Amino acid sequence: MKKKLTRFDFQKMKESGENVTWITAYDYSTAMFAEKAGMDMLLVGDSLGMCIYGYEGTVPVTMDQCIAHSEAVRRAAPNTFIVGDMPFLSYQVSIEDAVANAGRFYKEAGVDAIKLEGGKRVCPQIQAISDGGMLVIGHIGLTPQSSGQLGGFKAQGLTAESAAALIEDAKAIQDAGAFALLVEAVPPEVCKIITDLLSIPVYSIGAGVHADGQLMICHDVLGIFQAFTPKFVKRYAEIGEQIESVFKEYVEDVRESRFPEDKHTYKMLKGEEEKLIKTI
Ligand code: KIV
Protein backbone atom coordinates (compact mmCIF):
# COMPACT_ATOMS: atom_id res chain seq x y z
CA MET A 1 0.00 0.00 0.00
CA LYS A 2 1.14 3.55 -0.79
CA LYS A 3 2.63 5.37 2.22
CA LYS A 4 1.43 8.92 2.91
CA LEU A 5 4.40 11.31 2.83
CA THR A 6 5.05 13.77 5.63
CA ARG A 7 6.72 17.19 5.72
CA PHE A 8 9.95 15.42 6.67
CA ASP A 9 9.78 13.28 3.52
CA PHE A 10 9.28 16.45 1.43
CA GLN A 11 12.26 18.01 3.18
CA LYS A 12 14.41 14.93 2.46
CA MET A 13 13.26 14.96 -1.17
CA LYS A 14 14.47 18.55 -1.49
CA GLU A 15 17.82 17.58 -0.04
CA SER A 16 18.21 14.54 -2.33
CA GLY A 17 16.95 16.39 -5.44
CA GLU A 18 13.87 14.18 -5.89
CA ASN A 19 11.03 16.12 -7.55
CA VAL A 20 7.65 16.20 -5.79
CA THR A 21 4.58 15.53 -7.95
CA TRP A 22 1.54 17.59 -7.14
CA ILE A 23 -1.80 18.11 -8.90
CA THR A 24 -5.15 19.63 -8.04
CA ALA A 25 -8.18 17.42 -7.39
CA TYR A 26 -11.67 18.52 -6.46
CA ASP A 27 -13.70 15.32 -6.51
CA TYR A 28 -13.64 11.68 -5.42
CA SER A 29 -12.92 10.02 -8.78
CA THR A 30 -10.06 12.27 -9.82
CA ALA A 31 -8.42 12.00 -6.40
CA MET A 32 -8.74 8.22 -6.50
CA PHE A 33 -6.98 8.04 -9.88
CA ALA A 34 -4.28 10.47 -8.71
CA GLU A 35 -3.54 8.32 -5.67
CA LYS A 36 -3.44 5.19 -7.86
CA ALA A 37 -0.99 7.00 -10.16
CA GLY A 38 1.33 7.58 -7.20
CA MET A 39 0.94 11.37 -6.90
CA ASP A 40 2.87 12.73 -3.88
CA MET A 41 0.48 15.57 -3.07
CA LEU A 42 -3.01 16.81 -3.94
CA LEU A 43 -4.25 20.40 -3.79
CA VAL A 44 -7.95 21.06 -3.38
CA GLY A 45 -7.41 24.42 -5.02
CA ASP A 46 -9.82 27.33 -5.01
CA SER A 47 -9.38 26.98 -8.80
CA LEU A 48 -12.41 24.73 -8.27
CA GLY A 49 -14.35 27.97 -8.62
CA MET A 50 -13.44 28.03 -12.32
CA CYS A 51 -13.06 24.31 -13.02
CA ILE A 52 -16.13 23.06 -11.14
CA TYR A 53 -18.46 26.02 -10.58
CA GLY A 54 -17.83 28.02 -13.75
CA TYR A 55 -16.92 31.30 -12.02
CA GLU A 56 -14.64 33.69 -13.92
CA GLY A 57 -12.07 33.63 -11.13
CA THR A 58 -11.48 32.31 -7.62
CA VAL A 59 -12.88 35.27 -5.67
CA PRO A 60 -16.46 33.96 -5.19
CA VAL A 61 -15.28 30.62 -3.74
CA THR A 62 -16.42 29.97 -0.15
CA MET A 63 -14.98 28.03 2.77
CA ASP A 64 -17.95 25.64 2.69
CA GLN A 65 -17.27 24.77 -0.96
CA CYS A 66 -13.57 24.17 -0.25
CA ILE A 67 -14.35 22.01 2.78
CA ALA A 68 -16.94 19.90 0.93
CA HIS A 69 -14.53 19.19 -1.95
CA SER A 70 -11.62 18.53 0.43
CA GLU A 71 -13.72 15.95 2.28
CA ALA A 72 -14.45 14.11 -0.98
CA VAL A 73 -10.77 14.16 -1.96
CA ARG A 74 -9.74 12.91 1.49
CA ARG A 75 -12.16 9.96 1.25
CA ALA A 76 -10.71 9.01 -2.15
CA ALA A 77 -7.04 9.42 -1.30
CA PRO A 78 -6.41 8.34 2.29
CA ASN A 79 -2.71 7.73 1.60
CA THR A 80 -1.86 10.98 -0.16
CA PHE A 81 -0.77 14.28 1.40
CA ILE A 82 -3.69 16.68 0.86
CA VAL A 83 -3.48 20.47 0.89
CA GLY A 84 -6.60 22.61 1.39
CA ASP A 85 -6.56 26.01 -0.31
CA MET A 86 -7.75 28.98 1.78
CA PRO A 87 -10.31 30.90 -0.33
CA PHE A 88 -10.55 34.67 -0.69
CA LEU A 89 -11.42 36.46 2.59
CA SER A 90 -10.93 33.32 4.70
CA TYR A 91 -7.59 34.70 6.02
CA GLN A 92 -7.27 38.35 4.93
CA VAL A 93 -9.73 39.90 7.39
CA SER A 94 -8.08 38.89 10.66
CA ILE A 95 -5.53 36.53 12.13
CA GLU A 96 -8.28 34.93 14.25
CA ASP A 97 -10.31 34.17 11.11
CA ALA A 98 -7.23 32.72 9.43
CA VAL A 99 -6.52 30.30 12.29
CA ALA A 100 -10.20 29.31 12.65
CA ASN A 101 -10.63 28.68 8.92
CA ALA A 102 -7.37 26.74 8.63
CA GLY A 103 -8.61 24.70 11.60
CA ARG A 104 -11.88 23.95 9.78
CA PHE A 105 -9.89 22.34 6.93
CA TYR A 106 -8.15 20.13 9.49
CA LYS A 107 -11.16 19.27 11.65
CA GLU A 108 -13.86 18.89 8.97
CA ALA A 109 -11.89 17.64 5.97
CA GLY A 110 -8.82 16.00 7.49
CA VAL A 111 -6.30 17.82 5.29
CA ASP A 112 -2.54 17.58 5.95
CA ALA A 113 -1.73 21.24 5.25
CA ILE A 114 -3.28 24.48 4.04
CA LYS A 115 -2.07 26.92 1.40
CA LEU A 116 -2.63 30.66 1.29
CA GLU A 117 -1.66 33.38 -1.16
CA GLY A 118 0.54 36.40 -0.55
CA GLY A 119 3.95 37.51 0.63
CA LYS A 120 4.99 39.61 3.61
CA ARG A 121 1.47 40.90 4.17
CA VAL A 122 0.16 37.44 5.14
CA CYS A 123 3.15 36.43 7.27
CA PRO A 124 1.32 37.17 10.57
CA GLN A 125 -1.39 34.72 9.46
CA ILE A 126 1.22 32.10 8.42
CA GLN A 127 2.91 32.48 11.80
CA ALA A 128 -0.37 32.16 13.74
CA ILE A 129 -1.59 29.12 11.79
CA SER A 130 1.79 27.41 12.23
CA ASP A 131 1.74 28.27 15.94
CA GLY A 132 -1.66 26.57 16.01
CA GLY A 133 0.11 23.33 15.07
CA MET A 134 -0.87 23.30 11.39
CA LEU A 135 1.27 23.10 8.27
CA VAL A 136 1.25 26.06 5.89
CA ILE A 137 2.35 26.39 2.27
CA GLY A 138 2.92 29.95 1.05
CA HIS A 139 2.04 31.00 -2.50
CA ILE A 140 3.71 33.89 -4.34
CA GLY A 141 4.08 35.16 -7.90
CA LEU A 142 0.80 35.11 -9.78
CA THR A 143 -1.69 34.98 -6.94
CA PRO A 144 -5.13 34.60 -8.58
CA GLN A 145 -7.11 36.00 -5.61
CA SER A 146 -5.35 39.36 -6.07
CA SER A 147 -5.23 39.23 -9.89
CA GLY A 148 -7.10 42.56 -9.94
CA GLN A 149 -4.16 44.23 -8.20
CA LEU A 150 -1.72 42.43 -10.53
CA GLY A 151 -3.61 43.65 -13.61
CA GLY A 152 -4.89 40.18 -14.56
CA PHE A 153 -3.54 36.63 -14.71
CA LYS A 154 -0.03 37.80 -15.59
CA ALA A 155 3.48 36.38 -15.09
CA GLN A 156 5.36 38.02 -12.18
CA GLY A 157 9.02 38.73 -11.41
CA LEU A 158 9.88 39.80 -14.95
CA THR A 159 11.97 42.77 -13.80
CA ALA A 160 14.88 42.79 -11.36
CA GLU A 161 12.84 44.97 -9.00
CA SER A 162 9.78 42.71 -8.91
CA ALA A 163 11.95 39.56 -8.75
CA ALA A 164 13.80 41.02 -5.75
CA ALA A 165 10.47 41.71 -4.04
CA LEU A 166 9.42 38.08 -4.62
CA ILE A 167 12.68 36.86 -3.10
CA GLU A 168 12.07 39.04 -0.01
CA ASP A 169 8.53 37.63 0.24
CA ALA A 170 9.86 34.07 -0.03
CA LYS A 171 12.34 34.62 2.81
CA ALA A 172 9.66 36.21 5.00
CA ILE A 173 7.29 33.28 4.39
CA GLN A 174 9.97 30.79 5.42
CA ASP A 175 10.77 32.84 8.53
CA ALA A 176 7.06 32.97 9.43
CA GLY A 177 7.01 29.17 9.69
CA ALA A 178 5.69 27.89 6.33
CA PHE A 179 6.95 24.38 5.63
CA ALA A 180 6.92 24.86 1.84
CA LEU A 181 6.36 27.53 -0.78
CA LEU A 182 4.58 27.54 -4.14
CA VAL A 183 5.82 29.93 -6.84
CA GLU A 184 3.44 30.63 -9.73
CA ALA A 185 4.12 32.07 -13.21
CA VAL A 186 7.61 33.40 -12.54
CA PRO A 187 10.71 33.05 -14.80
CA PRO A 188 12.75 29.89 -14.04
CA GLU A 189 15.87 31.86 -13.10
CA VAL A 190 13.98 33.69 -10.35
CA CYS A 191 12.43 30.47 -9.05
CA LYS A 192 15.89 28.86 -9.04
CA ILE A 193 17.28 31.64 -6.86
CA ILE A 194 14.38 31.18 -4.43
CA THR A 195 14.75 27.36 -4.44
CA ASP A 196 18.48 27.58 -3.75
CA LEU A 197 18.08 30.26 -1.11
CA LEU A 198 15.34 28.68 0.97
CA SER A 199 15.85 25.65 3.16
CA ILE A 200 12.17 24.66 2.84
CA PRO A 201 10.89 22.97 -0.35
CA VAL A 202 9.87 25.32 -3.16
CA TYR A 203 7.35 24.10 -5.73
CA SER A 204 6.56 25.52 -9.14
CA ILE A 205 3.46 26.05 -11.19
CA GLY A 206 4.69 27.79 -14.29
CA ALA A 207 8.02 28.69 -12.70
CA GLY A 208 10.34 26.28 -14.50
CA VAL A 209 12.16 23.07 -13.84
CA HIS A 210 14.57 24.15 -11.08
CA ALA A 211 12.06 23.96 -8.22
CA ASP A 212 11.76 21.03 -5.81
CA GLY A 213 8.59 19.80 -7.51
CA GLN A 214 5.76 20.71 -9.86
CA LEU A 215 2.06 21.48 -9.46
CA MET A 216 -0.48 21.45 -12.30
CA ILE A 217 -4.22 21.98 -12.41
CA CYS A 218 -5.85 18.65 -13.26
CA HIS A 219 -8.45 20.18 -15.61
CA ASP A 220 -5.63 21.79 -17.64
CA VAL A 221 -3.54 18.62 -17.82
CA LEU A 222 -6.57 16.54 -18.80
CA GLY A 223 -7.83 19.05 -21.37
CA ILE A 224 -11.17 19.61 -19.62
CA PHE A 225 -10.88 23.33 -18.84
CA GLN A 226 -11.69 25.11 -22.09
CA ALA A 227 -11.85 28.85 -21.21
CA PHE A 228 -8.09 29.46 -21.62
CA THR A 229 -4.78 27.59 -21.33
CA PRO A 230 -1.87 29.35 -19.62
CA LYS A 231 1.53 29.16 -21.40
CA PHE A 232 2.94 26.96 -18.63
CA VAL A 233 0.37 24.19 -19.04
CA LYS A 234 1.17 20.90 -20.73
CA ARG A 235 -2.08 19.32 -21.92
CA TYR A 236 -1.48 15.59 -21.68
CA ALA A 237 -4.89 14.70 -23.10
CA GLU A 238 -8.04 16.16 -24.62
CA ILE A 239 -10.49 14.44 -22.30
CA GLY A 240 -12.97 17.30 -22.82
CA GLU A 241 -13.20 16.40 -26.51
CA GLN A 242 -13.57 12.74 -25.62
CA ILE A 243 -16.39 13.53 -23.17
CA GLU A 244 -18.20 15.55 -25.84
CA SER A 245 -17.90 12.79 -28.43
CA VAL A 246 -19.11 10.13 -25.95
CA PHE A 247 -22.12 12.28 -25.08
CA LYS A 248 -22.89 12.81 -28.79
CA GLU A 249 -22.74 9.05 -29.41
CA TYR A 250 -25.06 8.43 -26.44
CA VAL A 251 -27.53 11.08 -27.67
CA GLU A 252 -27.61 9.46 -31.14
CA ASP A 253 -27.98 5.94 -29.70
CA VAL A 254 -30.95 6.99 -27.56
CA ARG A 255 -32.61 8.94 -30.36
CA GLU A 256 -32.22 5.99 -32.75
CA SER A 257 -33.26 3.39 -30.11
CA ARG A 258 -29.87 1.69 -30.35
CA PHE A 259 -29.51 1.95 -26.56
CA PRO A 260 -30.25 0.09 -24.34
CA GLU A 261 -29.52 -3.27 -25.93
CA ASP A 262 -30.78 -6.58 -24.60
CA LYS A 263 -27.58 -7.06 -22.57
CA HIS A 264 -28.32 -3.84 -20.62
CA THR A 265 -31.76 -5.00 -19.40
CA TYR A 266 -33.10 -7.21 -16.58
CA LYS A 267 -35.07 -10.42 -17.33
CA MET A 268 -38.31 -11.31 -15.58
CA LEU A 269 -38.30 -14.71 -13.89
CA LYS A 270 -39.46 -17.63 -16.08
CA GLY A 271 -43.24 -17.70 -16.60
CA GLU A 272 -43.81 -14.39 -14.76
CA GLU A 273 -44.48 -12.34 -17.90
CA GLU A 274 -47.36 -14.67 -18.94
CA LYS A 275 -48.78 -14.50 -15.41
CA LEU A 276 -48.60 -10.72 -15.46
CA ILE A 277 -50.34 -10.45 -18.83
CA LYS A 278 -53.21 -12.67 -17.59
CA THR A 279 -53.62 -10.49 -14.48
CA ILE A 280 -53.83 -7.24 -16.37
O1 KIV B 1 -6.33 27.07 -6.68
C1 KIV B 1 -5.36 26.56 -7.23
O2 KIV B 1 -5.44 25.55 -7.93
C2 KIV B 1 -4.08 27.23 -7.05
C3 KIV B 1 -3.11 27.07 -8.15
C4 KIV B 1 -3.44 28.03 -9.23
C5 KIV B 1 -1.75 27.28 -7.68
O3 KIV B 1 -3.90 27.92 -6.10
Side-chain angles (χ1 to χ4, degrees), residues 2 22 74 107 134 137 156 169 182 242 245 257 261:
K2 183 177 181 258
W22 192 12
R74 176 80 290 164
K107 284 168 82 89
M134 295 172 266
I137 302 185
Q156 302 296 306
D169 279 338
L182 176 67
Q242 263 178 278
S245 92
S257 301
E261 296 168 48

Side-chain angles (χ1 to χ4, degrees), residues 26-272:
Y26 318 109
D27 67 286
Y28 184 90
S29 311
T30 314
M32 181 188 70
F33 289 126
E35 175 158 304
K36 279 189 184 177
M39 202 69 66
D40 294 322
M41 240 200 256
L42 292 175
L43 171 68
V44 187
D46 63 352
S47 49
L48 64 84
M50 294 149 95
C51 296
I52 304 291
Y53 289 94
Y55 305 144
E56 271 184 23
T58 56
V59 166
V61 174
T62 65
M63 270 302 295
D64 287 343
Q65 287 170 324
C66 290
I67 296 282
H69 287 274
S70 301
E71 282 181 62
V73 168
R74 176 80 290 164
R75 280 193 289 274
N79 302 314
T80 306
F81 192 95
I82 295 174
V83 183
D85 203 10
M86 302 277 285
F88 183 58
L89 290 195
S90 68
Y91 56 96
Q92 291 93 339
V93 177
S94 71
I95 292 175
E96 289 75 14
D97 267 7
V99 177
N101 284 322
R104 278 194 66 191
F105 271 106
Y106 269 72
K107 284 168 82 89
E108 297 174 38
V111 303
D112 301 293
I114 60 90
K115 172 176 88 55
L116 50 79
E117 296 181 10
K120 284 182 183 161
R121 63 186 177 185
V122 294
C123 282
Q125 285 89 328
I126 292 175
Q127 174 99 54
I129 297 169
S130 303
D131 288 350
M134 295 172 266
L135 291 175
V136 182
I137 302 185
H139 177 174
I140 57 169
L142 198 186
T143 43
Q145 290 172 18
S146 43
S147 59
Q149 279 185 343
L150 303 176
F153 292 95
K154 286 186 176 161
Q156 302 296 306
L158 304 184
T159 64
E161 191 188 354
S162 73
L166 286 175
I167 292 164
E168 286 311 307
D169 279 338
K171 286 196 278 189
I173 287 170
Q174 171 170 282
D175 292 346
F179 89 98
L181 174 68
L182 176 67
V183 179
E184 177 167 358
V186 161
E189 51 273 40
V190 180
C191 187
K192 182 175 186 329
I193 293 172
I194 295 172
T195 306
D196 293 346
L197 197 67
L198 265 50
S199 57
I200 59 173
V202 175
Y203 303 125
S204 148
I205 175 166
V209 77
H210 307 297
D212 298 310
Q214 298 293 329
L215 169 67
M216 280 276 104
I217 292 191
C218 64
H219 282 51
D220 286 336
V221 163
L222 296 174
I224 296 176
F225 187 69
Q226 307 276 315
F228 61 90
T229 306
K231 177 185 167 71
F232 57 72
V233 166
K234 177 169 174 184
R235 280 173 95 105
Y236 283 79
E238 290 301 336
I239 306 286
E241 283 174 15
Q242 263 178 278
I243 293 174
E244 190 180 328
S245 92
V246 167
F247 286 170
K248 274 188 185 146
E249 210 178 314
Y250 168 67
V251 164
E252 279 163 25
D253 276 359
V254 172
R255 288 198 178 131
E256 300 300 321
S257 301
R258 286 195 296 259
F259 176 84
E261 296 168 48
D262 203 42
K263 64 183 176 194
H264 303 123
T265 60
Y266 300 99
K267 302 271 173 280
M268 283 187 85
L269 297 179
K270 208 161 179 242
E272 293 301 312

